[in-house]
Amino acid sequence: TAPAIKKNHATRGKEGLRLLSPRERLQKAVRREQPDRVPLDLGGSATGIESVPYKDLLRYFELPAENITCFVREHAEPHEELLQKLSVDTRYLRIRPPHNYSREILPDNSYYDEWGIRWRKPPSSFYWDPVEHPFGGTASPAAVRRHNWPVIKDPGRTAGLREKARQLYETTPYALVADAPMNGVFETCLLLRGYQAFLEDLIANRHFAFTLLEKVTGLLIELYQYYLEAIGPYVDVVMTTDDLGMQQSLLISPQMYREMIKPFQKEFFAAIKQKTKAALFLHSCGAIRPLIPDLIEIGVDIINPVQPTAKNMDTAELKAEFGRHITFWGAVDSQRTLVKGSPEDVAAEVRRRLRDLAPGGGYVLCASHNIQPGVSPQNIAAIYETANRFGWYDR
């Protein structure tokens, strides 16, 4: 029987047990070994916090709430003082845009990213939506060849990153995570073409779909390898994102995934693993349970966000079925409990996820997606207060 989660760690010092460093703690959890407590995360491109609730959280803890930095759209860069206050075990190393790219906000409050996708935030919204797709009207292999693709090996992307990685590795105890805030093979193609159009292309315009997937895969491989040449020896985890599911089902059938998407993801993940010994993290929202065996097969070590409100994503069942083969990262319900619940509800939610996913190791705790506007600072604090109290293992 897996060891139980410790209910109170106030007497741990008297027990004479050496606490693990955050880096040791996360490494053991990712290897699906039992650490001293469940590692805690905050700050990734899919495990972070938006600027509005972040400001509220800083004020709640009486920390300065000015000069908020967002590393992509409204994703806030957490201050070190806050991360320490919450006992967060991770720190992030992010790739940057090329030196000649700057986000120019147009009069309608939109901008073009370096892939040529236009994003817009309406006046009454907190969110940036993709509103223009480079291949929205033209879908041919020739159009793929003509497109103005991002410059990958631009020194601006990694300027100073190796030095920062070495400094964090040598002078801090934290687990280091490589986070390139961009989408994966499938989702990038959806954004370049438009969701409905590319899903139709997978059936009715396969030559174009294959050409676009091949081009995007090649660029992502080049980008991640360039990134990891700078920081690969220092990081514990490499994050990737590629949504395959929605609330009730997959975006495409398992057969379509295995035929058209999986081979490109496999190539991409293998290229990452050539450059680092770090664990491979995949963020994929929704009801993705039918594809978890495929993801394990092609090299995914960590699955996120573990969306507990999606169909067939019961955390106890996932742990029983896949816990020997993959680490779970996330799972604290951000769709309902964090938004509509009380701090007591959040505490109960955290304890449930600890009960389901923590035994034996293989779990890193955080919200099941970026913390959104409308989530109170009391509820955010309750995640970390509860995890810091109940996330300890008996030894």
Side-chain angles (χ1 to χ4, degrees), residues 206-220:
R206 287 198 162 194
H207 184 36
F208 167 75
F210 183 90
T211 303
L212 188 59
L213 283 162
E214 185 177 50
K215 180 65 178 181
V216 167
T217 302
L219 289 169
L220 289 175

Side-chain angles (χ1 to χ4, degrees), residues 74 108-110 119-129 131:
E74 299 302 320
D108 66 346
N109 204 36
S110 70
W119 299 80
R120 182 173 180 267
K121 185 168 74 168
S124 59
S125 175
F126 291 111
Y127 305 107
W128 295 87
D129 300 315
V131 295

Side-chain angles (χ1 to χ4, degrees), residues 268-328:
F268 176 38
F269 297 157
I272 289 174
K273 294 200 167 192
Q274 289 175 0
K275 290 292 185 180
T276 182
K277 295 180 180 179
L280 179 65
F281 170 117
L282 175 65
H283 167 85
S284 188
C285 286
I288 63 166
R289 186 168 177 170
L291 299 185
I292 292 178
D294 297 271
L295 299 174
I296 293 169
E297 178 192 328
I298 60 176
V300 174
D301 301 299
I302 301 162
I303 196 72
N304 165 272
V306 198
Q307 188 176 331
T309 56
K311 185 176 180 180
N312 293 328
M313 293 295 286
D314 179 88
T315 47
E317 293 178 2
L318 291 172
K319 181 73 171 186
E321 188 171 357
F322 303 112
R324 290 178 299 159
H325 307 290
I326 202 161
T327 293
F328 299 100

Side-chain angles (χ1 to χ4, degrees), residues 55 64-69 79:
K55 289 179 183 177
E66 298 80 29
N67 302 318
I68 303 288
T69 300
H79 294 171

Side-chain angles (χ1 to χ4, degrees), residues 12 22 46 84 117 127 133 155 178 186 191-192 204 228 258 263 300 322 334 380 384:
R12 289 186 64 79
Q84 292 185 21
I117 302 158
Y127 305 107
H133 312 281
F186 181 44
L191 289 165
L192 286 166
L228 292 171
R258 291 166 189 147
V300 174
F322 303 112
S334 62
I380 301 169
Y384 295 92

Side-chain angles (χ1 to χ4, degrees), residues 27 93 162 169 176-178 224-240 268-281 299 301:
Q27 288 173 345
L93 291 159
R162 187 174 186 86
Y169 183 83
L176 303 184
V177 184
Y224 272 79
Q225 289 195 329
Y226 185 59
Y227 180 31
L228 292 171
E229 284 172 6
I231 66 170
Y234 303 108
V235 295
D236 301 290
V237 174
V238 178
M239 281 191 163
T240 66
F268 176 38
F269 297 157
I272 289 174
K273 294 200 167 192
Q274 289 175 0
K275 290 292 185 180
T276 182
K277 295 180 180 179
L280 179 65
F281 170 117
D301 301 299

Side-chain angles (χ1 to χ4, degrees), residues 66-353:
E66 298 80 29
N67 302 318
I68 303 288
T69 300
C70 292
F71 60 89
V72 61
R73 291 186 282 280
E74 299 302 320
H75 296 5
E77 191 75 69
H79 294 171
E80 178 63 25
E81 188 174 354
L82 177 69
L83 295 175
Q84 292 185 21
K85 188 175 286 290
L86 300 177
S87 298
V88 171
D89 294 286
T90 53
R91 298 295 186 270
Y92 282 84
L93 291 159
R94 307 189 207 281
I95 201 167
R96 303 184 177 101
H99 76 281
N100 61 352
Y101 172 82
S102 61
R103 191 174 76 165
E104 179 186 355
I105 303 298
L106 302 174
D108 66 346
N109 204 36
S110 70
Y111 75 95
Y112 287 91
D113 68 18
E114 59 175 313
W115 295 81
I117 302 158
R118 185 162 69 96
W119 299 80
R120 182 173 180 267
K121 185 168 74 168
S124 59
S125 175
F126 291 111
Y127 305 107
W128 295 87
D129 300 315
V131 295
E132 185 179 322
H133 312 281
F135 300 101
T138 305
S140 69
V144 174
R145 292 190 291 271
R146 290 193 304 265
H147 184 62
N148 184 25
W149 293 103
V151 176
I152 299 300
K153 292 187 176 180
D154 184 292
R157 293 192 185 276
T158 58
L161 265 186
R162 187 174 186 86
E163 294 75 16
K164 181 180 179 181
R166 183 188 295 114
Q167 183 269 330
L168 287 171
Y169 183 83
E170 293 178 351
T171 66
T172 79
Y174 300 110
L176 303 184
V177 184
D179 183 19
M182 54 186 61
N183 299 296
V185 171
F186 181 44
E187 201 168 358
T188 299
C189 291
L190 290 168
L191 289 165
L192 286 166
R193 175 76 166 116
Y195 273 65
Q196 179 175 330
F198 189 70
L199 293 175
E200 292 172 354
D201 291 335
L202 291 172
I203 299 170
N205 193 2
R206 287 198 162 194
H207 184 36
F208 167 75
F210 183 90
T211 303
L212 188 59
L213 283 162
E214 185 177 50
K215 180 65 178 181
V216 167
T217 302
L219 289 169
L220 289 175
I221 287 173
E222 187 179 4
L223 185 139
Y224 272 79
Q225 289 195 329
Y226 185 59
Y227 180 31
L228 292 171
E229 284 172 6
I231 66 170
Y234 303 108
V235 295
D236 301 290
V237 174
V238 178
M239 281 191 163
T240 66
T241 71
D242 217 357
D243 285 344
L244 298 167
M246 46 190 172
Q247 194 71 26
Q248 296 296 321
S249 69
L250 297 168
L251 281 165
I252 54 178
S253 70
Q255 178 182 348
M256 178 66 76
Y257 168 76
R258 291 166 189 147
E259 184 177 348
M260 292 295 289
I261 308 302
K262 182 179 177 180
F264 292 103
Q265 286 187 332
K266 181 179 180 180
E267 182 184 1
F268 176 38
F269 297 157
I272 289 174
K273 294 200 167 192
Q274 289 175 0
K275 290 292 185 180
T276 182
K277 295 180 180 179
L280 179 65
F281 170 117
L282 175 65
H283 167 85
S284 188
C285 286
I288 63 166
R289 186 168 177 170
L291 299 185
I292 292 178
D294 297 271
L295 299 174
I296 293 169
E297 178 192 328
I298 60 176
V300 174
D301 301 299
I302 301 162
I303 196 72
N304 165 272
V306 198
Q307 188 176 331
T309 56
K311 185 176 180 180
N312 293 328
M313 293 295 286
D314 179 88
T315 47
E317 293 178 2
L318 291 172
K319 181 73 171 186
E321 188 171 357
F322 303 112
R324 290 178 299 159
H325 307 290
I326 202 161
T327 293
F328 299 100
W329 189 309
V332 176
D333 173 32
S334 62
Q335 282 185 284
R336 299 173 187 169
T337 308
L338 285 185
V339 178
K340 299 179 180 179
S342 65
E344 292 75 22
D345 295 327
V346 173
E349 165 74 11
V350 169
R351 293 181 69 176
R352 177 180 177 183
R353 303 310 162 199

